[in-house]
Amino acid sequence: MSALLTFTCSCCGKTHEGSPSFSCKSPHYYDQLSDEDKTRIAILQDDMCVIGIDENSDFFVRTILEVPIHGVAEPFMWGVWVSLSQANFKRYMSTWDNHDETDNYFGWFSNRLPHYPDTLSLKTSVRPRNGGLRPLLVLEESDHPLAVHFHQGISVGEAQQIAERVMHPE
Ligand SMILES: [Zn+2]
């Protein structure tokens, strides 16, 4: 097993080193808000986001989705947001850095990832971690390509193809 994924990019011709890691800065639903609503009804921080000002608010946490790459030690990492119920969000925030690591919270996938068919509302489970680590995301098994990749892993070639698509969207 080689430690690093290294490939010559078919888009820009450069050598990209290391397993790819891409992050969504905010939930898809936050991106959809007007600039006015982003300041008026939403809170966005590094690890959490709340949209709404009443009991109908939506609660989001930032997580890490690790997709194994066959033959490579480091996974393909996505920083993505999922929505939690209010009760689970409160528990998650109130146990910050003192999580029961056997906990898991049901979450709805809340980003659209490049390369894949629509990933919004995939069913997930959030596994909190202590020590300043973002929670790991587990996707429910389904025939969605992202769920298949999560459970079965991807080849080096697929990892390269997805990374090229993300780094060079045009
Ligand atoms: Zn490139």
Side-chain angles (χ1 to χ4, degrees):
M1 186 177 272
S2 69
L4 275 184
L5 176 74
T6 302
F7 63 92
T8 304
C9 185
S10 69
C11 300
C12 67
K14 289 182 184 156
T15 300
H16 296 308
E17 286 187 348
S19 287
S21 173
F22 299 108
S23 291
C24 303
K25 301 286 175 241
S26 48
H28 169 76
Y29 307 100
Y30 180 89
D31 301 335
Q32 300 299 106
L33 297 175
S34 67
D35 286 346
E36 185 193 347
D37 278 352
K38 280 178 183 167
T39 52
R40 195 172 61 86
I41 62 162
I43 303 167
L44 176 65
Q45 297 179 355
D46 285 347
D47 293 288
M48 66 80 121
C49 177
V50 178
I51 300 175
I53 47 175
D54 54 21
E55 67 277 7
N56 295 318
S57 296
D58 291 311
F59 302 90
F60 304 90
V61 297
R62 187 161 157 184
T63 68
I64 293 176
L65 179 71
E66 296 187 346
V67 175
I69 306 172
H70 300 152
V72 178
E74 290 284 312
F76 194 120
M77 297 214 281
W78 296 96
V80 296
W81 295 79
V82 300
S83 68
L84 300 184
S85 70
Q86 182 173 23
N88 280 343
F89 179 80
K90 279 187 171 161
R91 174 165 168 78
Y92 176 75
M93 296 305 293
S94 69
T95 56
W96 191 258
D97 240 9
N98 189 24
H99 298 295
D100 176 348
E101 291 188 325
T102 65
D103 266 355
N104 65 85
Y105 304 117
F106 177 82
W108 297 104
F109 204 92
S110 300
N111 286 111
R112 289 191 157 135
L113 298 189
H115 177 80
Y116 289 100
D118 198 353
T119 50
L120 276 185
S121 299
L122 289 176
K123 293 176 178 175
T124 76
S125 172
V126 177
R127 309 285 165 87
R129 295 187 291 177
N130 293 318
L133 297 171
R134 290 208 163 99
L136 283 179
L137 195 63
V138 175
L139 294 185
E140 184 179 287
E141 285 202 52
S142 74
D143 57 8
H144 190 285
L146 184 62
V148 173
H149 285 180
F150 172 78
H151 288 284
Q152 298 180 8
I154 53 178
S155 67
V156 166
E158 285 172 315
Q160 173 175 348
Q161 194 185 9
I162 298 166
E164 288 177 355
R165 196 76 81 85
V166 179
M167 285 185 287
H168 308 290
E170 296 310 308

Coordinates of all heavy atoms in Angstrom, one line a residue, residues 50-136:
V50 N -26.9 27.5 12.0 CA -28.4 27.5 12.3 C -29.0 28.4 11.3 O -28.5 29.6 11.1 CB -28.6 27.9 13.7 CG1 -30.2 28.0 14.0 CG2 -27.9 27.0 14.7
I51 N -30.1 28.0 10.7 CA -30.9 28.8 9.8 C -32.3 28.9 10.4 O -33.0 27.9 10.5 CB -30.9 28.3 8.4 CG1 -29.5 28.2 7.8 CG2 -31.8 29.2 7.5 CD1 -29.4 27.5 6.5
G52 N -32.8 30.2 10.6 CA -34.1 30.3 11.1 C -34.1 31.0 12.5 O -33.0 31.0 13.2
I53 N -35.2 31.6 12.9 CA -35.2 32.3 14.2 C -36.3 31.8 15.1 O -36.6 32.3 16.2 CB -35.4 33.8 14.0 CG1 -36.6 34.0 13.0 CG2 -34.1 34.5 13.5 CD1 -36.9 35.5 12.8
D54 N -36.9 30.7 14.8 CA -38.0 30.1 15.6 C -37.9 28.6 15.8 O -36.8 28.1 15.5 CB -39.4 30.5 15.1 CG -39.5 30.1 13.6 OD1 -38.8 29.2 13.2 OD2 -40.4 30.6 12.9
E55 N -38.9 28.0 16.2 CA -38.9 26.5 16.4 C -38.7 25.8 15.1 O -38.5 24.6 15.1 CB -40.1 26.0 17.2 CG -41.4 26.1 16.5 CD -42.0 27.5 16.6 OE1 -41.4 28.5 17.1 OE2 -43.2 27.7 16.2
N56 N -38.9 26.5 14.0 CA -38.7 25.8 12.7 C -37.3 25.9 12.2 O -37.0 25.7 11.0 CB -39.7 26.4 11.7 CG -41.1 26.1 12.0 OD1 -41.5 25.0 12.5 ND2 -42.0 27.1 11.9
S57 N -36.4 26.3 13.0 CA -35.0 26.5 12.6 C -34.4 25.1 12.1 O -34.9 24.1 12.5 CB -34.1 27.0 13.7 OG -34.5 28.3 14.1
D58 N -33.4 25.2 11.2 CA -32.7 24.1 10.8 C -31.3 24.1 11.4 O -30.7 25.2 11.5 CB -32.6 24.0 9.3 CG -33.9 23.7 8.6 OD1 -34.6 22.8 9.1 OD2 -34.3 24.5 7.7
F59 N -30.8 23.0 11.8 CA -29.5 22.9 12.6 C -28.5 22.0 11.8 O -28.9 20.9 11.4 CB -29.8 22.3 14.0 CG -30.8 23.1 14.8 CD1 -32.1 22.8 14.7 CD2 -30.3 24.1 15.6 CE1 -33.0 23.5 15.4 CE2 -31.3 24.9 16.3 CZ -32.6 24.6 16.2
F60 N -27.3 22.5 11.6 CA -26.4 21.8 10.8 C -25.0 21.7 11.5 O -24.6 22.6 12.3 CB -26.1 22.6 9.5 CG -27.3 22.8 8.7 CD1 -28.0 24.0 8.8 CD2 -27.7 21.9 7.7 CE1 -29.2 24.2 8.1 CE2 -28.9 22.2 6.9 CZ -29.6 23.3 7.1
V61 N -24.3 20.6 11.3 CA -23.0 20.5 11.8 C -22.0 20.0 10.7 O -22.5 19.4 9.7 CB -22.9 19.4 13.0 CG1 -23.7 19.9 14.2 CG2 -23.3 18.1 12.6
R62 N -20.8 20.4 10.9 CA -19.8 20.1 9.9 C -19.1 18.8 10.2 O -18.7 18.5 11.4 CB -18.7 21.2 9.8 CG -17.8 20.9 8.6 CD -17.1 22.2 8.2 NE -15.8 21.9 7.5 CZ -15.0 22.8 7.2 NH1 -15.2 24.1 7.4 NH2 -13.9 22.5 6.5
T63 N -19.0 17.9 9.2 CA -18.5 16.6 9.5 C -17.4 16.2 8.4 O -17.2 17.0 7.5 CB -19.6 15.5 9.4 OG1 -20.0 15.5 8.0 CG2 -20.8 15.9 10.2
I64 N -16.8 15.1 8.6 CA -15.8 14.6 7.6 C -16.3 13.2 7.0 O -16.6 12.3 7.8 CB -14.4 14.4 8.2 CG1 -13.9 15.8 8.6 CG2 -13.5 13.7 7.2 CD1 -12.6 15.7 9.3
L65 N -16.3 13.2 5.7 CA -16.7 11.9 5.1 C -15.4 11.4 4.4 O -14.8 12.0 3.6 CB -17.7 12.2 4.0 CG -18.2 11.0 3.1 CD1 -19.0 10.1 4.0 CD2 -18.9 11.4 1.9
E66 N -15.0 10.2 4.9 CA -13.8 9.6 4.4 C -14.1 8.4 3.4 O -14.8 7.4 3.8 CB -13.0 9.0 5.5 CG -12.5 10.0 6.5 CD -11.5 9.5 7.6 OE1 -11.4 8.2 7.7 OE2 -10.9 10.3 8.2
V67 N -13.7 8.6 2.2 CA -13.9 7.6 1.1 C -12.6 6.8 0.9 O -11.6 7.4 0.5 CB -14.4 8.2 -0.2 CG1 -14.5 7.1 -1.3 CG2 -15.8 8.9 0.0
P68 N -12.5 5.5 1.2 CA -11.3 4.8 1.1 C -10.8 4.8 -0.4 O -11.7 4.7 -1.3 CB -11.6 3.4 1.6 CG -12.9 3.5 2.3 CD -13.6 4.7 1.7
I69 N -9.5 4.9 -0.6 CA -8.9 4.7 -1.9 C -8.2 3.4 -1.9 O -7.3 3.2 -1.1 CB -8.0 5.9 -2.3 CG1 -8.7 7.2 -2.1 CG2 -7.5 5.7 -3.7 CD1 -7.8 8.4 -2.3
H70 N -8.5 2.5 -2.8 CA -7.9 1.2 -2.8 C -6.4 1.3 -3.0 O -5.9 2.0 -3.9 CB -8.5 0.3 -3.9 CG -9.9 0.1 -3.8 ND1 -10.8 -0.1 -4.9 CD2 -10.7 0.1 -2.7 CE1 -12.0 -0.3 -4.4 NE2 -12.0 -0.2 -3.1
G71 N -5.6 0.7 -2.1 CA -4.2 0.7 -2.2 C -3.5 1.9 -1.7 O -2.3 2.1 -1.8
V72 N -4.2 2.9 -1.2 CA -3.6 4.1 -0.7 C -4.1 4.3 0.8 O -5.2 4.0 1.2 CB -4.1 5.4 -1.5 CG1 -3.6 6.7 -0.9 CG2 -3.8 5.2 -3.0
A73 N -3.1 4.7 1.6 CA -3.4 4.7 3.1 C -4.4 5.8 3.4 O -5.3 5.6 4.2 CB -2.1 4.9 3.8
E74 N -4.2 7.0 2.8 CA -5.1 8.1 3.2 C -6.3 8.1 2.4 O -6.3 8.0 1.1 CB -4.3 9.4 2.9 CG -3.2 9.7 3.9 CD -3.7 10.1 5.3 OE1 -4.5 11.0 5.3 OE2 -3.2 9.5 6.3
P75 N -7.5 8.3 3.0 CA -8.8 8.3 2.2 C -8.9 9.7 1.5 O -8.2 10.6 1.7 CB -9.8 8.2 3.3 CG -9.2 8.8 4.5 CD -7.7 8.5 4.4
F76 N -9.9 9.7 0.6 CA -10.4 10.9 -0.1 C -11.3 11.5 0.9 O -12.3 10.9 1.4 CB -11.2 10.5 -1.3 CG -11.4 11.6 -2.3 CD1 -11.0 11.5 -3.6 CD2 -12.2 12.7 -1.9 CE1 -11.2 12.5 -4.5 CE2 -12.5 13.7 -2.8 CZ -12.0 13.6 -4.1
M77 N -11.0 12.8 1.3 CA -11.8 13.4 2.4 C -12.7 14.5 1.9 O -12.2 15.4 1.2 CB -10.9 13.9 3.5 CG -10.1 12.8 4.1 SD -9.8 13.1 5.9 CE -8.5 14.2 5.7
W78 N -13.9 14.5 2.3 CA -14.9 15.6 2.0 C -15.3 16.2 3.4 O -15.8 15.5 4.3 CB -16.1 15.0 1.4 CG -16.0 14.4 0.0 CD1 -15.9 13.1 -0.2 CD2 -16.0 15.1 -1.2 NE1 -15.8 12.9 -1.6 CE2 -15.9 14.1 -2.2 CE3 -16.1 16.4 -1.6 CZ2 -15.8 14.4 -3.6 CZ3 -16.1 16.7 -3.0 CH2 -15.9 15.7 -4.0
G79 N -15.2 17.5 3.4 CA -15.8 18.3 4.6 C -17.2 18.7 4.2 O -17.3 19.5 3.3
V80 N -18.1 18.1 4.8 CA -19.5 18.3 4.4 C -20.4 18.6 5.6 O -20.1 18.3 6.8 CB -20.1 17.1 3.7 CG1 -19.3 16.9 2.4 CG2 -20.0 15.8 4.5
W81 N -21.6 19.1 5.3 CA -22.6 19.5 6.4 C -23.8 18.6 6.4 O -24.2 18.1 5.3 CB -23.0 20.9 6.1 CG -21.9 22.0 6.3 CD1 -21.0 22.3 5.4 CD2 -21.7 22.8 7.4 NE1 -20.1 23.2 5.9 CE2 -20.6 23.6 7.1 CE3 -22.3 22.9 8.7 CZ2 -20.1 24.5 8.0 CZ3 -21.8 23.9 9.6 CH2 -20.7 24.7 9.2
V82 N -24.3 18.3 7.5 CA -25.5 17.5 7.6 C -26.4 18.2 8.6 O -26.0 19.0 9.5 CB -25.3 16.1 8.1 CG1 -24.4 15.3 7.1 CG2 -24.7 16.0 9.5
S83 N -27.7 18.0 8.4 CA -28.7 18.6 9.4 C -29.1 17.6 10.4 O -29.2 16.4 10.1 CB -29.9 19.2 8.6 OG -30.7 18.1 8.1
L84 N -29.2 18.1 11.7 CA -29.6 17.3 12.8 C -30.9 17.8 13.3 O -31.3 18.9 13.1 CB -28.5 17.4 13.9 CG -27.1 17.0 13.7 CD1 -26.3 17.0 15.0 CD2 -27.0 15.6 13.1
S85 N -31.6 16.9 14.1 CA -32.8 17.4 14.8 C -32.3 18.4 15.9 O -31.1 18.4 16.3 CB -33.5 16.2 15.5 OG -32.7 15.7 16.6
Q86 N -33.2 19.2 16.3 CA -32.9 20.2 17.3 C -32.4 19.5 18.6 O -31.4 19.9 19.2 CB -34.1 21.0 17.7 CG -33.8 22.1 18.7 CD -34.9 23.1 18.9 OE1 -36.1 22.7 18.7 NE2 -34.6 24.3 19.4
A87 N -33.0 18.4 19.0 CA -32.6 17.7 20.2 C -31.1 17.2 20.1 O -30.3 17.3 21.0 CB -33.5 16.6 20.5
N88 N -30.8 16.6 18.9 CA -29.5 16.0 18.7 C -28.5 17.1 18.6 O -27.3 17.0 19.0 CB -29.5 15.1 17.5 CG -30.0 13.7 17.8 OD1 -30.1 13.3 18.9 ND2 -30.4 13.0 16.7
F89 N -28.9 18.2 17.9 CA -28.0 19.4 17.8 C -27.6 19.9 19.2 O -26.4 20.2 19.5 CB -28.6 20.4 16.9 CG -27.8 21.7 16.7 CD1 -26.7 21.7 15.8 CD2 -28.0 22.8 17.5 CE1 -26.0 22.8 15.6 CE2 -27.2 24.0 17.3 CZ -26.2 24.0 16.4
K90 N -28.6 20.0 20.0 CA -28.3 20.6 21.4 C -27.4 19.6 22.1 O -26.5 20.1 22.8 CB -29.6 20.8 22.1 CG -30.4 22.0 21.8 CD -31.6 22.3 22.7 CE -32.1 23.7 22.4 NZ -33.5 23.8 22.9
R91 N -27.6 18.3 22.0 CA -26.8 17.4 22.7 C -25.4 17.4 22.1 O -24.4 17.4 22.9 CB -27.4 16.0 22.6 CG -26.4 14.9 23.2 CD -27.1 13.6 23.4 NE -26.2 12.5 23.7 CZ -25.6 12.3 24.8 NH1 -25.9 13.1 25.9 NH2 -24.7 11.4 25.0
Y92 N -25.3 17.5 20.8 CA -24.0 17.6 20.2 C -23.2 18.8 20.7 O -22.0 18.7 21.0 CB -24.1 17.6 18.7 CG -22.9 17.8 17.9 CD1 -22.0 16.7 17.8 CD2 -22.5 19.0 17.3 CE1 -20.8 16.8 17.0 CE2 -21.4 19.1 16.6 CZ -20.5 18.0 16.5 OH -19.3 18.2 15.8
M93 N -23.8 20.0 20.7 CA -23.1 21.2 21.1 C -22.8 21.2 22.6 O -21.8 21.7 23.0 CB -24.0 22.4 20.7 CG -24.2 22.6 19.2 SD -22.7 22.7 18.2 CE -22.0 24.2 18.8
S94 N -23.7 20.7 23.4 CA -23.5 20.7 24.8 C -22.5 19.7 25.3 O -22.0 19.9 26.4 CB -24.8 20.5 25.6 OG -25.3 19.2 25.4
T95 N -22.2 18.8 24.5 CA -21.1 17.8 24.9 C -19.8 18.0 24.1 O -19.0 17.1 24.0 CB -21.6 16.3 24.6 OG1 -22.0 16.2 23.2 CG2 -22.8 16.0 25.5
W96 N -19.6 19.2 23.6 CA -18.5 19.6 22.8 C -17.2 19.2 23.5 O -17.0 19.6 24.6 CB -18.5 21.1 22.5 CG -17.5 21.4 21.5 CD1 -16.2 22.0 21.7 CD2 -17.6 21.2 20.1 NE1 -15.6 22.1 20.5 CE2 -16.4 21.6 19.5 CE3 -18.6 20.7 19.2 CZ2 -16.1 21.6 18.1 CZ3 -18.3 20.6 17.9 CH2 -17.1 21.0 17.3
D97 N -16.4 18.4 22.8 CA -15.1 17.9 23.4 C -15.3 17.0 24.6 O -14.3 16.7 25.3 CB -14.1 19.0 23.6 CG -12.8 18.8 22.8 OD1 -12.8 18.0 21.9 OD2 -11.9 19.6 23.0
N98 N -16.5 16.6 24.9 CA -16.7 15.7 26.0 C -17.8 14.7 25.5 O -18.7 14.3 26.2 CB -17.1 16.4 27.2 CG -17.2 15.5 28.4 OD1 -16.5 14.5 28.5 ND2 -18.0 15.9 29.4
H99 N -17.7 14.4 24.2 CA -18.7 13.5 23.6 C -18.6 12.1 24.1 O -17.6 11.6 24.5 CB -18.6 13.4 22.1 CG -18.7 14.8 21.4 ND1 -19.9 15.5 21.3 CD2 -17.8 15.5 20.6 CE1 -19.7 16.6 20.6 NE2 -18.4 16.6 20.2
D100 N -19.8 11.5 24.2 CA -19.8 10.0 24.3 C -19.5 9.5 22.9 O -20.4 9.7 22.0 CB -21.1 9.6 24.8 CG -21.2 8.1 24.9 OD1 -20.4 7.4 24.3 OD2 -22.2 7.6 25.5
E101 N -18.4 8.9 22.7 CA -18.0 8.6 21.3 C -18.8 7.4 20.8 O -18.6 7.0 19.6 CB -16.5 8.4 21.2 CG -15.7 9.7 21.3 CD -14.3 9.6 21.0 OE1 -13.6 8.6 21.3 OE2 -13.7 10.6 20.5
T102 N -19.6 6.8 21.6 CA -20.5 5.7 21.1 C -21.8 6.3 20.6 O -22.6 5.6 20.1 CB -20.8 4.7 22.2 OG1 -21.5 5.3 23.2 CG2 -19.5 4.1 22.7
D103 N -22.0 7.6 20.8 CA -23.1 8.3 20.3 C -23.1 8.3 18.8 O -22.1 8.3 18.1 CB -23.2 9.8 20.7 CG -23.9 10.0 22.0 OD1 -24.6 9.1 22.5 OD2 -23.9 11.2 22.5
N104 N -24.3 8.3 18.2 CA -24.4 8.7 16.8 C -25.7 9.4 16.5 O -26.7 9.1 17.2 CB -24.2 7.5 15.9 CG -25.3 6.5 16.0 OD1 -26.4 6.6 15.4 ND2 -25.1 5.5 16.9
Y105 N -25.7 10.3 15.6 CA -26.8 11.2 15.4 C -27.3 11.0 14.0 O -26.5 11.2 13.0 CB -26.5 12.7 15.6 CG -25.9 13.0 17.0 CD1 -24.6 13.4 17.2 CD2 -26.7 12.8 18.1 CE1 -24.1 13.7 18.4 CE2 -26.2 13.0 19.4 CZ -24.9 13.5 19.5 OH -24.4 13.8 20.8
F106 N -28.6 10.8 13.8 CA -29.1 10.8 12.4 C -29.0 12.2 11.8 O -29.3 13.2 12.4 CB -30.6 10.4 12.4 CG -31.1 10.4 11.0 CD1 -30.9 9.3 10.1 CD2 -31.8 11.5 10.5 CE1 -31.4 9.3 8.8 CE2 -32.3 11.5 9.2 CZ -32.1 10.4 8.4
G107 N -28.5 12.2 10.5 CA -28.4 13.5 9.8 C -28.8 13.4 8.3 O -28.6 12.3 7.7
W108 N -29.3 14.5 7.8 CA -29.5 14.6 6.3 C -28.4 15.3 5.7 O -28.0 16.4 6.1 CB -30.8 15.4 6.0 CG -32.1 14.8 6.6 CD1 -32.8 15.2 7.7 CD2 -32.8 13.7 6.0 NE1 -33.9 14.4 7.9 CE2 -34.0 13.5 6.9 CE3 -32.7 12.8 4.9 CZ2 -34.9 12.5 6.6 CZ3 -33.6 11.9 4.7 CH2 -34.7 11.7 5.5
F109 N -27.8 14.7 4.6 CA -26.7 15.2 3.9 C -27.2 16.6 3.3 O -28.2 16.7 2.7 CB -26.3 14.3 2.8 CG -24.9 14.5 2.3 CD1 -23.9 13.7 2.8 CD2 -24.6 15.3 1.3 CE1 -22.6 13.8 2.4 CE2 -23.3 15.5 0.8 CZ -22.3 14.7 1.4
S110 N -26.4 17.6 3.5 CA -26.8 19.0 3.2 C -25.9 19.7 2.3 O -25.8 21.0 2.3 CB -27.0 19.8 4.5 OG -28.0 19.2 5.3
N111 N -25.1 19.0 1.5 CA -24.3 19.7 0.4 C -24.5 18.9 -0.9 O -24.9 17.7 -0.9 CB -22.8 19.7 0.7 CG -22.5 20.7 1.8 OD1 -22.2 20.3 2.9 ND2 -22.6 22.0 1.5
R112 N -24.3 19.6 -2.0 CA -24.2 18.9 -3.3 C -22.8 18.8 -3.7 O -22.1 19.8 -3.8 CB -25.0 19.8 -4.4 CG -26.5 19.8 -4.2 CD -27.2 20.4 -5.4 NE -28.5 19.9 -5.4 CZ -29.6 20.6 -5.6 NH1 -29.5 21.9 -5.9 NH2 -30.8 20.1 -5.6
L113 N -22.3 17.6 -3.9 CA -20.9 17.4 -4.2 C -20.7 17.4 -5.8 O -21.6 16.8 -6.4 CB -20.4 16.1 -3.6 CG -20.4 16.0 -2.1 CD1 -19.6 14.8 -1.6 CD2 -19.8 17.3 -1.5
P114 N -19.7 18.0 -6.2 CA -19.4 17.8 -7.7 C -19.2 16.4 -8.0 O -18.9 15.5 -7.2 CB -18.1 18.6 -7.9 CG -17.6 18.9 -6.5 CD -18.6 18.7 -5.5
H115 N -19.3 16.1 -9.3 CA -19.0 14.7 -9.9 C -20.2 13.8 -9.6 O -20.5 13.0 -10.5 CB -17.8 14.1 -9.3 CG -17.5 12.7 -9.8 ND1 -17.0 12.5 -11.0 CD2 -17.8 11.5 -9.2 CE1 -16.9 11.1 -11.2 NE2 -17.4 10.5 -10.1
Y116 N -20.9 13.9 -8.5 CA -21.9 12.9 -8.1 C -23.3 13.4 -8.5 O -23.6 14.6 -8.5 CB -21.9 12.6 -6.6 CG -20.7 11.9 -6.2 CD1 -19.6 12.5 -5.6 CD2 -20.6 10.5 -6.3 CE1 -18.5 11.8 -5.2 CE2 -19.5 9.7 -5.9 CZ -18.5 10.4 -5.3 OH -17.4 9.7 -5.0
P117 N -24.2 12.4 -8.8 CA -25.6 12.8 -8.8 C -26.0 13.4 -7.5 O -25.3 13.3 -6.5 CB -26.4 11.5 -9.0 CG -25.4 10.4 -9.1 CD -24.0 11.0 -8.9
D118 N -27.1 14.2 -7.5 CA -27.5 15.0 -6.3 C -27.3 14.2 -5.0 O -27.9 13.1 -4.8 CB -29.0 15.4 -6.5 CG -29.3 16.6 -5.6 OD1 -28.4 17.0 -4.7 OD2 -30.4 17.2 -5.7
T119 N -26.6 14.8 -4.1 CA -26.3 14.2 -2.8 C -27.1 14.7 -1.7 O -27.1 14.2 -0.6 CB -24.8 14.3 -2.4 OG1 -24.4 15.7 -2.6 CG2 -23.9 13.5 -3.3
L120 N -27.9 15.8 -2.0 CA -28.8 16.3 -0.9 C -29.7 15.3 -0.4 O -30.3 14.5 -1.1 CB -29.6 17.5 -1.5 CG -29.0 18.9 -1.6 CD1 -30.0 19.9 -2.0 CD2 -28.4 19.3 -0.3
S121 N -29.8 15.3 1.0 CA -30.8 14.4 1.7 C -30.5 13.0 1.6 O -31.4 12.1 1.9 CB -32.2 14.7 1.1 OG -32.6 16.0 1.3
L122 N -29.2 12.6 1.4 CA -28.8 11.2 1.7 C -28.9 11.0 3.2 O -28.6 12.0 3.9 CB -27.4 11.0 1.2 CG -27.2 10.9 -0.3 CD1 -25.7 10.8 -0.7 CD2 -27.9 9.8 -0.9
K123 N -29.2 9.8 3.6 CA -29.3 9.6 5.0 C -27.9 9.2 5.6 O -27.2 8.4 5.0 CB -30.3 8.4 5.3 CG -31.7 8.8 4.9 CD -32.6 7.5 5.1 CE -34.1 7.9 4.8 NZ -34.9 6.7 4.8
T124 N -27.6 9.8 6.7 CA -26.3 9.6 7.3 C -26.4 9.4 8.8 O -27.4 9.7 9.4 CB -25.4 10.9 7.1 OG1 -25.9 11.9 8.0 CG2 -25.5 11.4 5.7
S125 N -25.3 9.0 9.4 CA -25.1 8.9 10.8 C -23.8 9.7 11.2 O -22.8 9.5 10.6 CB -25.0 7.5 11.2 OG -24.7 7.3 12.5
V126 N -23.9 10.6 12.2 CA -22.8 11.4 12.6 C -22.2 10.8 13.8 O -22.9 10.5 14.8 CB -23.3 12.8 12.9 CG1 -22.1 13.7 13.4 CG2 -23.9 13.5 11.7
R127 N -20.9 10.5 13.8 CA -20.2 9.9 14.9 C -19.2 10.9 15.5 O -18.2 11.2 14.9 CB -19.3 8.7 14.4 CG -20.2 7.7 13.6 CD -21.1 6.9 14.5 NE -22.1 6.2 13.7 CZ -21.9 5.0 13.1 NH1 -20.8 4.3 13.3 NH2 -22.9 4.4 12.4
P128 N -19.6 11.5 16.7 CA -18.8 12.6 17.3 C -17.4 12.0 17.8 O -17.3 10.8 18.2 CB -19.6 13.1 18.5 CG -20.5 11.9 18.8 CD -20.8 11.2 17.5
R129 N -16.4 12.9 17.7 CA -15.1 12.5 18.2 C -14.6 13.6 19.1 O -14.8 14.8 18.8 CB -14.1 12.3 17.0 CG -14.5 11.1 16.1 CD -13.4 10.9 15.1 NE -13.3 11.9 14.1 CZ -12.4 12.0 13.1 NH1 -11.5 11.0 13.0 NH2 -12.4 12.9 12.2
N130 N -13.8 13.2 20.1 CA -13.2 14.2 21.0 C -11.8 14.6 20.4 O -11.3 14.1 19.4 CB -13.1 13.7 22.4 CG -14.5 13.5 23.0 OD1 -15.4 14.4 22.8 ND2 -14.8 12.4 23.6
G131 N -11.1 15.5 21.2 CA -9.8 15.9 20.8 C -9.7 16.9 19.7 O -8.7 16.9 18.9
G132 N -10.8 17.6 19.5 CA -10.8 18.6 18.4 C -11.0 18.1 17.0 O -10.8 18.8 16.0
L133 N -11.3 16.8 16.9 CA -11.5 16.2 15.6 C -13.0 16.4 15.2 O -13.9 16.2 16.0 CB -11.2 14.7 15.7 CG -9.8 14.3 16.0 CD1 -9.7 12.8 16.2 CD2 -8.9 14.8 14.8
R134 N -13.2 16.7 13.9 CA -14.6 16.8 13.4 C -15.2 15.4 13.4 O -14.5 14.4 13.3 CB -14.6 17.4 12.0 CG -14.2 18.9 12.0 CD -14.8 19.6 10.9 NE -14.8 21.0 11.1 CZ -13.9 21.9 10.6 NH1 -13.0 21.4 9.8 NH2 -13.9 23.2 10.9
P135 N -16.5 15.4 13.6 CA -17.2 14.1 13.6 C -17.1 13.3 12.3 O -17.0 14.0 11.2 CB -18.6 14.4 13.9 CG -18.8 15.8 13.6 CD -17.5 16.5 13.8
L136 N -17.0 12.0 12.3 CA -17.0 11.2 11.1 C -18.4 11.0 10.6 O -19.3 10.8 11.5 CB -16.3 9.9 11.4 CG -14.8 9.9 11.4 CD1 -14.3 8.5 11.7 CD2 -14.2 10.4 10.1

